[in-house]
């Protein structure tokens, strides 16, 4: 299922003309966002349209739960904003969770299966999941910073080191705040995001703090 849906994510990506980013392309952005894109190595390179990445780390189900090792793969379509994130979580030496987080055509889905067989979570295509998935996409453009130039994004300056990004797509609107260092590295991202789904879901502050950076394929991006 994941393999089929990953392929579908990329099928709508079309070649674009004048794909090299110049200084002229970024002058309409807040100054700190311009500095970020310059620091990240975007100028003089192509406007990225699709991305594939791998993550390793630890996660837990609740604040008091034990940490569990995970490995995840994620693909993004930047042209038609979408992603599929599939994860394998080692609960025990012989027991694993398989998970899928998806945003496509303005709709979000989350599926988690115990042993890849039994549903633990199966949520999707409601306002809470849709906007929560879209907020996640917005946050993760820090891994492919040329996406800041996408037509579905609007930027507003907050102060010298922070800017608000407003994303509008498929009749949905979300926003988040990017905090930067003076040199233009993304320090953090925060937004109001639904915790849980359905009528009981509440908007909570969702916060990401970057602890490390790396140079990858000619770009400087957060990696921790």
């Amino acid at each position: 299922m994941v393999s089929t849906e990953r392929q579908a994510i990329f099928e709508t990506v079309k070649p674009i003309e004048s794909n090299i980013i110049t200084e002229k392309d970024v002058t309409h952005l807040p100054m700190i966002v311009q500095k970020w894109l310059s620091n990240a190595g975007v100028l003089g390179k192509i406007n990225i349209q699709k991305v594939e990445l791998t993550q390793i780390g630890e996660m837990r189900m609740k604040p008091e739960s034990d940490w569990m090792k995970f490995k995840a793969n994620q693909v993004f379509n930047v042209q038609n904003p979408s992603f599929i994130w599939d994860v394998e979580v080692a609960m025990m030496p012989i027991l694993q969770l398989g998970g899928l987080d998806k945003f496509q055509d303005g709709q979000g889905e989350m599926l988690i299966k115990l042993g890849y067989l039994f549903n633990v979570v199966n949520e999707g295509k409601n306002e809470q999941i849709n906007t929560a998935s879209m907020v996640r996409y917005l946050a993760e453009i820090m891994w492919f910073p040329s996406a800041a130039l996408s037509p579905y994004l609007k930027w507003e300056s907050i102060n010298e080191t922070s800017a608000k990004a407003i994303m509008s797509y498929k009749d949905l609107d979300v926003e988040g705040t990017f905090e930067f260092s003076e040199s233009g590295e993304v320090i953090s991202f925060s937004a109001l995001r639904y915790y849980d789904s359905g009528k009981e879901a509440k908007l909570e502050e969702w916060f990401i703090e970057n602890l490390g950076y790396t140079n990858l394929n000619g770009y400087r991006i957060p990696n921790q």
Side-chain angles (χ1 to χ4, degrees):
M1 180 187 69
V2 170
S3 178
T4 300
E5 295 197 0
R6 282 163 61 96
Q7 184 176 350
I9 286 284
F10 284 157
E11 283 179 349
T12 61
V13 178
K14 298 179 181 179
I16 59 176
E17 297 179 359
S18 303
N19 202 21
I20 301 298
I21 298 171
T22 67
E23 290 186 7
K24 183 179 179 181
D25 295 320
V26 305
T27 54
H28 66 287
L29 300 172
M31 190 60 65
I32 190 60
V33 178
Q34 294 184 43
K35 188 178 288 188
W36 165 42
L37 297 184
S38 177
N39 178 76
V42 166
L43 299 180
K45 294 191 179 71
I46 63 169
N47 194 330
I48 295 172
Q49 301 300 301
K50 57 184 181 180
V51 180
E52 182 171 2
L53 56 84
T54 300
Q55 304 160 344
I56 57 172
E58 295 180 328
M59 63 170 61
R60 53 187 177 184
M61 307 298 286
K62 297 178 181 180
E64 64 274 12
S65 300
D66 293 333
W67 289 99
M68 303 176 292
K69 294 184 181 300
F70 79 85
K71 182 176 182 180
N73 292 284
Q74 191 168 7
V75 294
F76 295 88
N77 180 332
V78 183
Q79 205 172 83
N80 302 294
S82 50
F83 69 79
I84 290 180
W85 181 79
D86 64 282
V87 64
E88 185 178 275
V89 184
M91 289 189 68
M92 301 176 187
I94 59 172
L95 186 61
Q96 294 180 329
L97 284 173
L100 173 72
D101 200 359
K102 176 181 174 183
F103 178 68
Q104 189 175 23
D105 295 326
Q107 295 185 325
E109 294 182 48
M110 184 177 290
L111 177 64
I112 300 175
K113 287 178 175 283
L114 181 63
Y116 295 93
L117 294 172
F118 306 104
N119 285 351
V120 177
V121 176
N122 189 1
E123 291 278 357
K125 299 182 179 179
N126 59 60
E127 178 187 357
Q128 293 79 16
I129 293 291
N130 294 347
T131 57
S133 297
M134 194 159 147
V135 168
R136 174 176 177 168
Y137 176 91
L138 177 60
E140 292 177 348
I141 68 169
M142 64 179 74
W143 288 325
F144 39 100
S146 60
L149 298 167
S150 299
Y152 47 80
L153 287 184
K154 177 183 177 183
W155 291 87
E156 296 179 357
S157 178
I158 297 176
N159 54 44
E160 291 184 354
T161 56
S162 61
K164 179 167 69 174
I166 303 166
M167 181 173 175
S168 301
Y169 185 68
K170 298 287 185 180
D171 298 323
L172 294 176
D173 295 285
V174 299
E175 61 183 49
T177 299
F178 288 81
E179 298 280 349
F180 303 90
S181 67
E182 291 184 0
S183 64
E185 288 184 330
V186 183
I187 295 174
S188 67
F189 173 88
S190 60
L192 291 177
R193 189 177 186 220
Y194 278 109
Y195 180 77
D196 213 335
S197 63
K199 295 181 179 179
E200 302 302 318
K202 295 182 179 180
L203 285 171
E204 302 281 358
E205 184 179 6
W206 190 59
F207 181 76
I208 297 169
E209 184 178 16
N210 293 324
L211 304 177
Y213 306 84
T214 189
N215 294 307
L216 185 65
N217 297 338
Y219 296 92
R220 184 160 179 79
I221 59 173
N223 72 330
Q224 295 180 353

